[in-house]
Amino acid sequence: MLSHESSSLASVLAGRHILVTGGTGFVGKVWIAMLLERLPTIGRITLLVRSTKRETALRRFERIVETSPCFRPLRQHHGAKLGAYLGERVSIVEGDVAKPLCGLDETSATRLALGLDAIVHFAGLTDFEPDPLAAISINIRGAVHAADLASRMETPQLLHVSTTFVAGMVSGPVAEEVSAFCPAGKPFDAAAELRALEEECARIAPPRGSVASAVQAKRERIAVALERARALGWPNIYTYTKGLAEHLLTARRDVHVTIARHSIVECAVRYPFAGWNEGINTSGPLFWLLGSAFRELPSQPEHRFDVIPVDTVCRGITLILAAMLTRQAAPVYHLASSDTNPLTFGRAIELTGLFARRHHRRKDATPYERYVLQFLDAVPVSAEKPGWLSVPRLRNTAAQVNEWLKKIEVPHTLPAALQRFAGPEIQHNVTRITTSLNRIDVRLGRIENMLRLYRPFIHDHDYEFSTHQIHHLSAALSADDAAWCSFDVRDLDWRTYWLDVQGPGLQTWCFPLLYGERAPLDPRHDPPFALVVRPTPHESAQEKQHLASLEQIA
Amino acid sequence: MRDAMTASFYRVEGTLLPRHSVTAAAWLAVNAQDLRSRLPRLAQVVMSTALRAPGPLQRPHVARRLAWGCVRGMSEDRLIELGQAFFTSQLQPKIAAFARRLLQQSRAQGHQVVLLSNSPAVFMHPLIAELSATALVAPEFEIREGRATGRLRGPAMNGPDAVTWARKWIEQQHGQWARCQAYSSLGDDSYLLSAVSHPCAVNPDQALRQIAQRLAWPILEA
């Protein structure tokens, strides 16, 4: 437990040096911005950032600070002095978690690690069905590489950010622990599993230069990984690789690993501002779907939909980090809502429908939105008993109509007189309808695929993630710290959150991406924002000694 | 020395807003989540109108129970959201200009404005902010496990009960009953109007008009 009567969060984190991986992702960015805003006494945050073909790691970070709405509060607070403020507290290191030692050379890695107090590992691939090669290198190897780096620290401490859904295909209460078994209940060796997966994926190698066979090879790898995942009780590649990473990390004896598992991360309640979101997250496509003419969502209304605002997750991670630095951390923390303030699917679906009504009532709504869509509400249905408006039935109907239309041969079907009069017109319309139906079929296929991916979480299983540990930490906070950093999910009013925060937030930040557009960014500065880089500090005597000993060994 | 607090009691229905209970109940019925349940709910509201109309079948209390019973099984989230939507689209534009002037006058005289309504509070809550009222007394839908039971709960604001409640409220606020005002359009509120020192009939129904004329209460027509 954090005993903060004598030590506030500020004093625990003052002067500390933290290395962050995945700091340019959705959660990582909010956490860094929040920490820099609330705890200016923090020693240093070193961000491990990948460079791209067009940008160096530093320029990438500067662009994010300059244009990401996530950094608005910091920009507003510090104005033109933000570059200097961040320069005193932030360092950028070019690296890649997918590479050994996170892409750093031996000397740089050791030098960096020796000055660190903790590593917070956010980096991860959150697609449900990515190419297993990418998932292995980022979600599994990435975590191992972060731990390798941590092992070079004086006091090796790694905070690994994971997902609560590593629990796999189970229902009921989920404890804050890493089980010795896989979710299917069998004992298993994570290292052996990883080797087997890598070997199987390596066997599926496409011939060079062929795009079609590369796509086919990727499909085969996904099929292989899914089969292995399901055999062990994980529903998809994301939870499988995250689960394997957890098992590999907890088996290590050279690093003290603390795991923070979050559930479905959604729009911010307060920080950086209400509604902030980034990327296509889990509920975005569902929200969009339920606002359309789609009526029946296969889900169990009484099952819990464990959603947690991103800033609540970030507050939880700050608490866990403080507990870790004061050697009071538990091995695993859940950052979730299902045990203390559960939101059911039935309620989430209804609230989403009510938000869609608000949207369809707006002044510039089309007559179709205002007079039809507004009055249609989605309902949860069982996947075993699909209704007339379910996606498979709609798809089937569209396919049947299409088949029927394809069989129509205008020259033979129509009477000669009508054919002379309107034959080309009718033929043109038949072709047009067939094309539309094909397009609809493609869209429905995508929706069907999406629902298949979501099914384990929205239909098949009912999770109740225990959050005892994080509430224990939160309860020990002083009043001042609790004002900004308490894990306050119990106080969340889901109706207000869903209708006034989540809905507008997704509409602004997520829906444009679903339409193939870009989410809005803040305008660029003139002159462009630049981090005022601090000169590299001189090596401490201890660092020099350690490096000398390493050289001797070499 | 500052004067003790006093209040003006306003009956919402007929005085500040047109009577709307049937349309409000019908609105909820046709906006139920499940499309298939909308028609039976609406039929229930339609049946209630037969019991409301003057004649041998007239049973206002039964009609009321039947009409609002249409919300049975609907979620609290839906009722609140639909209530606000109904207020914004149907009620807000119909707040009479003279009603706003009356309220302004009451506030200028240093009166607290208390709104009395027989409509469920989900429709009436936005009125507090809209009319800068101090308090609203309206029944609430009974909710169990997040769903409406179809019954209404809360203070009965009819006949002598309205007087009892108003007196109690003034006492709790350490107010001065002697200076209170009341505005209504319903004959049922004649008890309340006769209990205050400054009664006023606004667009009165037939029963209230007769009483007002007999007792020489001011009558406002708009």
Side-chain angles (χ1 to χ4, degrees):
Chain A
M1 166 183 152
L2 269 178
S3 38
H4 286 305
E5 285 84 11
S6 55
S7 57
S8 65
L9 282 175
S11 63
V12 171
L13 288 161
R16 303 285 192 162
H17 185 184
I18 314 294
L19 175 74
V20 180
T21 70
T24 55
F26 173 40
V27 182
K29 223 157 29 197
V30 176
W31 186 68
I32 290 163
M34 185 190 272
L35 216 59
L36 289 166
E37 168 100 13
R38 306 288 190 186
L39 297 172
T41 54
I42 192 154
R44 181 150 288 266
I45 297 175
T46 296
L47 296 174
L48 188 88
V49 181
R50 254 183 320 119
S51 59
T52 61
K53 280 179 187 168
R54 287 188 302 175
E55 283 179 317
T56 62
L58 176 63
R59 185 58 209 138
R60 196 174 157 211
F61 173 73
E62 286 171 339
R63 179 179 50 77
I64 289 170
V65 172
E66 194 177 359
T67 58
S68 171
C70 179
F71 284 89
R72 257 184 224 169
L74 269 175
R75 287 197 302 266
Q76 283 163 359
H77 190 192
H78 295 281
K81 292 176 184 167
L82 181 61
Y85 177 82
L86 292 186
E88 285 168 15
R89 291 163 184 83
V90 178
S91 302
I92 306 299
V93 171
E94 193 166 318
D96 185 349
V97 292
K99 295 177 181 168
L101 286 179
C102 300
L104 305 178
D105 61 64
E106 285 280 345
T107 315
S108 311
T110 307
R111 185 177 294 159
L112 175 65
L114 280 174
L116 293 174
D117 290 294
I119 295 179
V120 182
H121 178 58
F122 282 104
L125 199 60
T126 54
D127 296 357
F128 284 180
E129 269 182 19
D131 185 338
L133 292 179
I136 291 168
S137 67
I138 297 170
N139 288 352
I140 305 177
R141 293 285 174 211
V144 172
H145 295 152
D148 291 341
L149 191 59
S151 70
R152 295 173 179 230
M153 291 161 58
E154 263 184 66
T155 313
Q157 298 201 94
L158 174 69
L159 172 50
H160 172 66
V161 180
S162 185
T163 169
T164 49
F165 294 99
V166 292
M169 296 189 282
V170 296
S171 282
V174 178
E176 291 168 286
E177 62 182 18
V178 178
S179 165
F181 304 108
C182 64
K186 295 179 276 190
F188 87 118
D189 178 351
E193 176 61 27
L194 176 60
R195 272 196 304 277
L197 175 65
E198 282 181 321
E199 279 167 17
E200 286 210 47
C201 287
R203 273 201 291 274
I204 309 166
R208 280 177 176 274
S210 162
V211 176
S213 56
V215 171
Q216 181 57 31
K218 182 183 161 187
R219 278 196 196 131
E220 283 176 33
R221 284 195 296 270
I222 289 174
V224 162
L226 272 178
E227 197 182 328
R228 296 197 74 90
R230 285 175 187 153
L232 294 173
W234 279 294
N236 57 36
I237 295 169
Y238 169 58
T239 52
Y240 170 51
T241 49
K242 279 290 200 183
L244 287 183
E246 281 195 9
H247 279 87
L248 290 171
L249 290 182
T250 45
R252 291 185 71 133
R253 294 287 162 262
D254 55 343
V255 182
H256 181 84
V257 178
T258 301
I259 296 171
R261 294 175 182 157
H262 56 68
S263 56
I264 300 167
V265 186
E266 293 294 344
C267 296
V269 180
R270 293 201 300 266
Y271 196 89
F273 49 84
W276 164 246
N277 204 323
E278 192 180 61
I280 298 175
N281 54 2
T282 308
S283 74
L286 289 177
F287 233 91
W288 172 83
L289 200 60
L290 298 181
S292 68
F294 182 79
R295 302 271 54 85
E296 296 177 344
L297 184 71
S299 59
Q300 299 291 351
E302 71 283 3
H303 283 191
R304 280 161 272 230
F305 186 26
D306 200 315
V307 166
I308 184 123
V310 63
D311 47 346
T312 309
V313 170
C314 292
R315 287 196 288 274
I317 287 173
T318 307
L319 292 180
I320 298 166
L321 176 65
M324 215 171 93
L325 292 171
T326 49
R327 314 282 166 85
Q328 298 165 45
V332 180
Y333 289 87
H334 282 169
L335 305 172
S337 62
S338 52
D339 68 334
T340 55
N341 186 8
L343 170 70
T344 61
F345 272 104
R347 192 173 181 201
I349 290 170
E350 183 159 24
L351 286 171
T352 308
L354 291 172
F355 175 77
R357 277 174 172 264
R358 273 190 192 181
H359 178 64
H360 298 321
R361 273 202 306 271
R362 72 193 191 281
K363 280 182 183 160
D364 62 338
T366 61
Y368 172 60
E369 288 176 314
R370 185 173 281 270
Y371 301 112
V372 180
L373 282 186
Q374 191 195 156
F375 299 100
L376 298 176
D377 284 276
V379 286
V381 293
S382 166
E384 278 76 36
K385 292 178 188 169
W388 289 104
L389 296 172
S390 65
V391 175
R393 288 247 173 115
L394 287 176
R395 218 177 160 193
N396 198 23
T397 309
Q400 278 177 358
V401 173
N402 213 355
E403 278 301 305
W404 181 73
L405 284 173
K406 276 178 190 165
K407 282 179 194 162
I408 294 178
E409 290 176 23
V410 172
H412 304 292
T413 317
L414 292 180
L418 186 59
Q419 200 183 318
R420 268 198 305 278
F421 180 66
E425 184 83 359
I426 292 172
Q427 182 66 61
H428 172 72
N429 282 333
V430 167
T431 314
R432 203 165 50 91
I433 293 169
T434 312
T435 315
S436 303
L437 284 172
N438 283 335
R439 213 176 299 139
I440 288 170
D441 185 58
V442 170
R443 279 188 200 160
L444 288 174
R446 277 189 203 144
I447 291 172
E448 203 171 19
N449 190 41
M450 186 189 92
L451 293 176
R452 179 184 59 77
L453 290 175
Y454 282 16
R455 182 174 161 155
F457 310 108
I458 68 176
H459 186 278
D460 297 347
H461 305 291
D462 183 20
Y463 300 93
E464 185 188 341
F465 301 113
S466 164
T467 54
H468 173 76
Q469 299 286 6
I470 191 68
H471 281 112
H472 193 54
L473 288 183
S474 186
L477 287 176
S478 67
D480 284 348
D481 283 338
W484 74 271
C485 203
S486 69
F487 189 77
D488 51 3
V489 75
R490 281 178 183 141
D491 306 329
L492 201 61
D493 172 20
W494 288 116
R495 180 170 57 247
T496 311
Y497 176 73
W498 217 252
L499 296 177
D500 299 335
V501 177
Q502 173 81 342
L506 291 177
Q507 240 172 10
T508 310
W509 308 109
C510 177
F511 286 9
L513 305 176
L514 294 173
Y515 297 128
E517 297 163 9
R518 285 182 171 203
L521 290 173
D522 288 343
R524 290 194 164 221
H525 282 232
D526 189 23
F529 167 80
L531 197 69
V532 180
V533 184
R534 192 182 68 157
T536 314
H538 294 295
E539 291 158 12
S540 66
Q542 203 178 18
E543 279 179 53
K544 277 183 182 169
Q545 195 184 349
H546 188 83
L547 286 171
S549 65
L550 276 175
E551 277 164 18
Q552 266 184 353
I553 293 165
Chain B
M1 197 181 118
R2 204 173 149 223
D3 288 344
M5 185 282 277
T6 191
S8 293
F9 297 94
Y10 282 85
R11 167 68 61 189
V12 174
E13 292 82 11
T15 311
L16 306 178
L17 282 169
R19 290 168 203 176
H20 55 262
S21 58
V22 175
T23 46
W27 163 261
L28 294 180
V30 298
N31 285 291
Q33 186 182 17
D34 187 356
L35 290 173
R36 288 166 300 184
S37 79
R38 291 180 184 178
L39 201 59
R41 289 176 194 275
L42 185 63
Q44 197 172 333
V45 179
V46 173
M47 277 196 295
S48 77
T49 57
L51 300 173
R52 211 179 280 266
L57 286 177
Q58 191 179 21
R59 300 282 186 280
H61 291 291
V62 180
R64 185 175 151 77
R65 214 177 299 162
L66 193 63
W68 294 119
C70 76
V71 302
R72 190 173 173 182
M74 286 169 73
S75 73
E76 188 181 15
D77 294 328
R78 177 165 290 269
L79 293 174
I80 291 173
E81 183 65 12
L82 290 179
Q84 281 175 351
F86 184 79
F87 175 81
T88 313
S89 62
Q90 303 296 319
L91 300 181
Q92 199 176 23
K94 291 178 185 160
I95 299 173
F98 89 93
R100 290 183 191 272
R101 283 199 298 275
L102 270 182
L103 291 163
Q104 206 175 357
Q105 191 184 314
S106 294
R107 282 193 297 268
Q109 290 169 355
H111 284 228
Q112 303 284 322
V113 171
V114 181
L115 308 175
L116 311 177
S117 176
N118 283 329
S119 290
V122 291
F123 298 107
M124 293 294 116
H125 265 308
L127 260 188
I128 299 178
E130 181 71 24
L131 300 177
S132 309
T134 309
L136 165 77
V137 192
E140 302 267 0
F141 284 120
E142 185 183 72
I143 303 290
R144 280 198 196 141
E145 293 174 1
R147 304 240 154 224
T149 61
R151 284 190 289 269
L152 286 171
R153 284 273 174 266
M157 280 293 124
N158 296 316
D161 293 333
V163 185
T164 312
W165 183 89
R167 277 187 181 278
K168 202 171 164 188
W169 189 84
I170 286 288
E171 266 175 35
Q172 281 170 354
Q173 309 293 318
H174 307 291
Q176 202 176 13
W177 179 253
R179 290 173 54 221
C180 284
Q181 301 174 350
Y183 298 82
S184 180
S185 61
L186 306 179
D188 210 23
D189 280 334
S190 54
Y191 295 92
L192 178 64
L193 294 180
S194 56
V196 297
S197 53
H198 301 284
C200 182
V202 184
N203 300 328
D205 59 13
Q206 205 181 351
L208 185 61
R209 185 179 297 278
Q210 284 173 359
I211 296 168
Q213 282 168 348
R214 203 167 57 237
L215 298 174
W217 291 343
I219 298 175
L220 288 177
E221 305 275 6

